[in-house]
Amino acid sequence: MTPTHCPYCALQCGMNLTPAAGGCVTVTERADFPVNRGALCAKGRTAPTLLSSALRLTEPLVRRDGVLVPASWEEALDRVAEGLTRTRTEHGPDACGVFGGGGLTNEKAYALGKFARVVLGTSQIDYNGRFCMSSAAAAGIRAFGLDRGLPFPMEDIPRTGCVILVGSNPAETMPPALRYFTELKQNGGTLIVIDPRRTRTAEQADLHLAPRPGTDLALALGLLHLVVSQGRTDEAYIEERTSGWEETRAAAMAHWPEYVERITGVPVPQLREAVRMFCEPSDAMVLTARGPEQQAKGTDTVSAWINLCLATGRSGRPYSGYGCLTGQGNGQGGREHGQKADQLPGYRKLTDPAARRHVAGVWGVDPDSLPGPGRSAYELLDALGTDIRSLLLMGSNPVVSAPRAAHIQQRLESLDFLAVADVVLSETAALADVVLPVTQWAEETGTTTNLEGRVLLRRQAVTPPDGVRSDLYMLHQLAARAGVEKGFPVDPEEVFEELRRASAGGIADYSGITYQRLAEENGVFWPCPAPEHDDQSQVPVHPGSPRLFLDRFATDDGRARFTPVTYRPIAEEPDAEYPVLLTTGRVVAQYQSGAQTRRVDELNAAAPGPFVELHPRLAARLGAGEGDPIAVVSRRGRAVAPARITASIRPDTVFMPFHWPGEGRANTLTNPALDPTSRMPEFKACAVRLEAVRP
């Protein structure tokens, strides 16, 4: 029996794996891990299904005469090296693109970023985590000087007095987390859920606010206006621990309740009740997720919720604060160590000369040889086939997951060369010139960092099929073919040891974390610096940092910064031609682009395909019944899926899950308008029209 962690969401639930007869692997609960305490959702319980050779890639594939056919690893690696080298020689290093994933281990993310900058010399690297919580990260950095999804452990949630949950549906996206909100209510606390749909999570709430999609910023500003006008600000805290309040207060006061009601559709009495519930207890939290973040103003929206916490003294105190519920399995660690366009390991800025010197010293290269920041995820994908001629892609499926997906598929098809490393033949891998079958969670050892900032050790439990190799092996071989013989080890622990040195002194300092510690403890929270002493045996190890900001914030002066923001509408408002709003999200039985979960029979039985959720009044105007095919049309394309009629959604809004390709692909419709700070696309709101599809 091997203790390890689930491959899916950012809870990284603990589980035990035991090989059984016939090549099967059984999952049993692991009650000692404090995040899920043994609980698992259906995705976690069925995760070993993907270990079957019948459902996954087991040998490299190369394209011959337009068809992917089996090949040896040597041939496949030679083809990849040749394709990247040819592009680099003919068009320069920035014509080579690299695209990673939020499911890669810390070791893989680190090695991929190093490979892009040292071997290829390209600035054009980003990852699909840009589509996850980049807006929350940007807002957290400008307010607190540091971005960690939760600055406190999950166990603090039931101990607070009130939680405002904004645009999050953990009952479906991370079911084991719902118990924390149930325990909150059992302890006498209250839960406010903000969502345009009455989701399974909203049904548990003491108060559900259903704003029009894309108006969360106005809602937060309206609540802050009421906090000020009712005299509920914590003036002593503001004076002692923050800066920038006067400008922020002035901006909020322009958003009076009646004005906010007209924008959001949330009645003024509900706004007042939310303020009362949030302010009356001594402790409270605001937790955001993709709803407010996946907007072209997502950074300002999150800043507005952070401002609400700061104005009421609800940050940097026990059982209070702002946090972000990260989505992808290693969405946190995946951006800390170098696969993001503007960052170096340790969450260092690529534009910081001191950061460049430090990391270049660890890598043994000249700091001036490191390229500068590159394009963000959507901008990188949009440049494929023009500025970027070849792409190495690891662990992502943008054909399904990117906004304006049909356009991105065309960009991928226009490349001179595409190589994809993945566990399964995803819709994106099916377009590649070379497909490399790589190991997955239970077949390899490596670390991930969950939504709390808890660094965890995933342990290898089974042997991969003969034709499968690790991503680290792939990068090692490609680097060697490019003439870089050293610096890309295959052993994950050796990679982690280098990551520790590269992160030392950075914001996300892992230098005090070792595989031995992770094997003995239930994770270690960063920052965790190594002892600054020659004889480290005489210095106590750093315990890690489960709770941040209790003494000071991570800014130069130790104060949290208010950010004055004002409401602005979504990038694409409804009009006569496109009168309805579309919002997108997930369902409990599928995960992200569905590349893996759509191969599991039990999950497909629970969620067999896409649908369009719409209000009965909207369905009546369309003349549509339950299950009838509905076409949803935006300025970018058309998707068709069966109607699911429910009064749990606003009459001016439709919802589609985004897990499926084909004619029901929700991201065919979504708007790639980008947040100016985080470069997050506006997944959560775009204008559409509905058409009944007649036989």
Side-chain angles (χ1 to χ4, degrees), residues 224-352:
L224 183 54
H225 177 110
L226 287 169
V227 165
V228 174
S229 63
Q230 294 176 9
R232 294 182 182 270
T233 56
D234 188 333
E235 295 297 328
Y237 173 92
I238 291 171
E239 175 68 24
E240 180 183 352
R241 300 204 61 188
T242 72
S243 62
W245 169 233
E246 293 303 322
E247 297 86 349
T248 297
R249 178 173 59 185
M253 296 313 288
H255 298 77
W256 59 95
E258 293 75 14
Y259 170 60
V260 169
E261 179 179 333
R262 288 200 301 272
I263 294 172
T264 65
V266 177
V268 171
Q270 289 189 4
L271 298 176
R272 296 185 184 278
E273 178 64 5
V275 168
R276 183 195 67 78
M277 292 171 63
F278 184 68
C279 292
E280 282 189 354
S282 57
D283 309 306
M285 295 177 179
V286 172
L287 304 177
T288 67
R290 305 301 79 75
E293 297 163 19
Q294 286 182 326
Q295 299 182 29
K297 54 181 181 297
T299 303
D300 283 356
T301 301
V302 174
S303 289
W305 290 106
I306 291 174
N307 289 343
L308 180 67
C309 290
L310 295 177
T312 52
R314 308 303 178 89
S315 195
R317 288 177 169 174
Y319 315 127
S320 286
Y322 163 78
C324 166
L325 298 177
T326 309
Q328 294 190 79
N330 197 30
Q332 180 72 53
R335 70 180 176 282
E336 292 170 0
H337 299 300
Q339 66 171 334
K340 193 162 172 276
D342 55 352
Q343 287 177 192
L344 288 169
Y347 226 131
R348 288 180 159 91
K349 292 181 180 179
L350 193 52
T351 54
D352 178 0

Side-chain angles (χ1 to χ4, degrees), residues 16-28 45 47-49 51 441-442 461-462:
N16 293 311
L17 297 182
T18 304
C24 296
V25 176
T26 60
V27 174
T28 53
R45 286 189 291 99
T49 304
L51 297 171
W441 62 293
V462 298

Side-chain angles (χ1 to χ4, degrees), residues 559-582:
R559 291 172 173 266
R561 303 186 188 98
F562 281 99
T563 302
V565 294
T566 57
Y567 174 72
R568 60 184 186 273
I570 60 176
E572 187 178 75
E573 288 278 16
D575 56 20
E577 187 177 2
Y578 301 96
V580 178
L581 280 170
L582 168 70

Side-chain angles (χ1 to χ4, degrees), residues 5-25:
H5 296 273
C6 178
Y8 290 116
C9 82
L11 287 179
Q12 287 295 281
C13 292
M15 58 170 61
N16 293 311
L17 297 182
T18 304
C24 296
V25 176

Side-chain angles (χ1 to χ4, degrees), residues 166-178:
V166 190
S168 178
N169 183 17
E172 299 213 41
T173 59
M174 45 180 66
L178 193 63

Side-chain angles (χ1 to χ4, degrees), residues 214-483:
T215 63
D216 313 82
L217 174 54
L219 183 60
L221 288 163
L223 297 181
L224 183 54
H225 177 110
L226 287 169
V227 165
V228 174
S229 63
Q230 294 176 9
R232 294 182 182 270
T233 56
D234 188 333
E235 295 297 328
Y237 173 92
I238 291 171
E239 175 68 24
E240 180 183 352
R241 300 204 61 188
T242 72
S243 62
W245 169 233
E246 293 303 322
E247 297 86 349
T248 297
R249 178 173 59 185
M253 296 313 288
H255 298 77
W256 59 95
E258 293 75 14
Y259 170 60
V260 169
E261 179 179 333
R262 288 200 301 272
I263 294 172
T264 65
V266 177
V268 171
Q270 289 189 4
L271 298 176
R272 296 185 184 278
E273 178 64 5
V275 168
R276 183 195 67 78
M277 292 171 63
F278 184 68
C279 292
E280 282 189 354
S282 57
D283 309 306
M285 295 177 179
V286 172
L287 304 177
T288 67
R290 305 301 79 75
E293 297 163 19
Q294 286 182 326
Q295 299 182 29
K297 54 181 181 297
T299 303
D300 283 356
T301 301
V302 174
S303 289
W305 290 106
I306 291 174
N307 289 343
L308 180 67
C309 290
L310 295 177
T312 52
R314 308 303 178 89
S315 195
R317 288 177 169 174
Y319 315 127
S320 286
Y322 163 78
C324 166
L325 298 177
T326 309
Q328 294 190 79
N330 197 30
Q332 180 72 53
R335 70 180 176 282
E336 292 170 0
H337 299 300
Q339 66 171 334
K340 193 162 172 276
D342 55 352
Q343 287 177 192
L344 288 169
Y347 226 131
R348 288 180 159 91
K349 292 181 180 179
L350 193 52
T351 54
D352 178 0
R356 294 170 67 89
R357 285 194 299 272
H358 174 83
V359 174
V362 174
W363 289 350
V365 299
D366 184 342
D368 292 337
S369 71
L370 298 178
R375 292 175 172 91
S376 71
Y378 180 79
E379 292 165 303
L380 188 157
L381 294 171
D382 189 40
L384 299 180
T386 55
D387 294 344
I388 300 173
R389 310 298 292 267
S390 291
L391 182 69
L392 173 63
L393 186 146
M394 285 172 53
S396 185
N397 189 18
V399 166
V400 178
S401 63
R404 197 184 173 196
H407 170 72
I408 296 306
Q409 181 172 336
Q410 292 171 355
R411 293 290 88 220
L412 285 158
E413 291 170 343
S414 72
L415 283 164
D416 294 345
F417 180 79
L418 171 63
V420 174
D422 210 331
V423 174
V424 297
L425 189 67
S426 69
E427 288 72 23
T428 304
L431 303 178
D433 297 287
V434 178
V435 182
L436 298 167
V438 291
T439 50
Q440 54 181 308
W441 62 293
E443 300 165 347
E444 61 188 11
T445 294
T447 62
T448 61
T449 306
N450 80 345
L451 77 173
E452 308 164 297
R454 188 193 302 252
V455 184
L456 304 165
L457 183 64
R458 281 190 194 164
R459 298 168 174 86
Q460 181 177 350
V462 298
T463 302
D466 289 341
V468 173
R469 303 287 186 272
S470 73
D471 298 89
L472 297 178
Y473 171 85
M474 175 194 73
L475 294 174
H476 170 83
Q477 291 291 329
L478 291 177
R481 282 164 168 79

Side-chain angles (χ1 to χ4, degrees), residues 20-225:
C24 296
V25 176
T26 60
V27 174
T28 53
E29 70 176 38
R30 183 181 160 194
D32 69 304
F33 186 61
V35 177
N36 64 310
R37 290 174 279 172
L40 292 170
C41 72
K43 294 188 291 291
R45 286 189 291 99
T46 61
T49 304
L50 266 295
L51 297 171
S52 167
S53 295
L55 299 179
R56 48 90 61 87
L57 293 166
T58 57
E59 57 187 346
L61 304 173
V62 300
R63 193 169 296 278
R64 292 199 186 100
D65 299 323
V67 179
L68 286 172
V69 297
S72 68
W73 267 92
E74 286 299 308
E75 180 186 355
L77 289 167
D78 287 344
R79 289 272 297 267
V80 176
E82 178 188 352
L84 295 174
T85 300
R86 183 173 62 250
T87 295
R88 193 175 187 276
T89 301
E90 294 178 359
H91 303 285
D94 276 357
C96 296
V98 176
F99 200 84
L104 301 180
T105 62
N106 291 319
E107 292 81 0
K108 294 178 184 179
Y110 173 84
L112 185 62
K114 181 180 179 182
F115 178 85
R117 296 180 174 105
V118 172
V119 177
L120 297 179
T122 183
S123 65
Q124 301 304 304
I125 174 172
D126 209 64
Y127 80 128
N128 64 14
R130 176 79 67 173
F131 300 156
C132 180
M133 60 171 291
S134 57
S135 294
I141 289 170
R142 71 186 186 185
F144 308 129
L146 181 151
D147 153 44
R148 198 178 82 184
L150 294 180
F152 42 75
M154 294 285 287
E155 66 188 47
D156 284 4
I157 292 174
R159 304 180 187 181
T160 194
C162 177
V163 171
I164 299 180
L165 193 57
V166 190
S168 178
N169 183 17
E172 299 213 41
T173 59
M174 45 180 66
L178 193 63
R179 66 167 54 184
Y180 290 100
F181 302 101
T182 302
E183 292 171 6
L184 165 75
K185 296 181 65 175
Q186 291 171 345
N187 292 342
T190 55
L191 175 63
I192 301 170
V193 172
I194 297 172
D195 199 303
R197 305 164 61 223
R198 188 165 181 81
T199 63
R200 295 183 188 179
T201 304
E203 289 174 353
Q204 310 300 315
D206 298 283
L207 177 64
H208 172 216
L209 308 182
R212 186 170 173 266
T215 63
D216 313 82
L217 174 54
L219 183 60
L221 288 163
L223 297 181
L224 183 54
H225 177 110

